[in-house]
Amino acid sequence: MRYFWLVFLSALTLAFMPVVANAEKRIVLSYDDPPRGDGLLYSGDARTAQLIDALEGANAGPVLFFVSTQGVEANATGQERLEAYAAAGHILANHSHAHMWAHETPVEVYLADVDKAAAYLSELPNTRPWFRFPFLDEGRQPEKISALAEGLAARGLSNGYVTVDTYDWHLERQFQAALKAKKSVDYEALGRLYVRLSLESAEYYDQIARETLGESPVHVLLLHENDLAARYAADLVRKLRNEGWEIVHPDTGYADPLPTPLTRLTGQGRVAALAIDKGRSPRTITHWGIDEQAIDAEIEKAEIFGN
């Protein structure tokens, strides 16, 4: 029943969407959490090589990697993998060291963790002074939000926000669980679902932006450096372009940043937060691509994992 209402609300939003003169659709591809450990489809090294090759083959141009530097300590070749992304022309930025929840962590501890990640990144080329909050959690409590924002600004870091949220990580989790259980996988159906999840999420948040902000901003798509990303990156780029999206340079994405939202509800990214600021109920901002049960329903419907 919950999935029915997700679909109904999405359709209702489309039906009453006002026409906006600017029909241009631009998007930055961003991948969180490299260098991640081995998956059951690719080792960490193979994943990095595959993702670089796929992006190059699709002529995607530079994409953005928000680095969680604990992966450098946990993976023997983590530093080399980050260097490989940078050498391929991609952009690296700060996603903290230990990937902690901001609302659960004292400000001084959190900022020290940001500094630790910055020390690792200072040894790497092709970086930018952007920080993406893990879990998109900017603190929740007003005092903490302000203190963290001031601390980042003092370090010369700006918010590497998201406008298009996805639960690609949940689809990846279900995929890895299927491999661990030695289930069969319909890789074509899996790829279609991965691409559709990302594309329909982008369309959904773009619709919200056009409805509530009166424009289509340069969007930033949240993905993760996982096995699905490596296998289906080229498919995603092609589909986005076929549907009228332009893949743009990360510098373009943050050249004219969207305003800082007043709401503490930042878990779906900046477009959703700004829509809430303008009076939209958070309950009406929902999509199957950010709902674990809905994604599971799509997996079952497509019969992606067998026995």
Side-chain angles (χ1 to χ4, degrees), residues 207-236:
Q207 291 158 5
I208 290 176
R210 290 171 187 269
E211 181 183 34
T212 60
L213 308 180
E215 64 174 341
S216 176
V218 181
H219 285 282
V220 183
L221 173 63
L222 173 58
L223 299 167
H224 292 81
E225 190 230 38
N226 55 34
D227 285 0
L228 294 181
R231 186 175 180 100
Y232 299 115
D235 293 340
L236 174 58

Side-chain angles (χ1 to χ4, degrees), residues 186-194 232 302-304:
D186 183 337
Y187 280 96
E188 290 188 6
L190 178 60
R192 287 193 296 270
L193 183 58
Y194 176 82
Y232 299 115
E303 298 181 337
I304 292 173

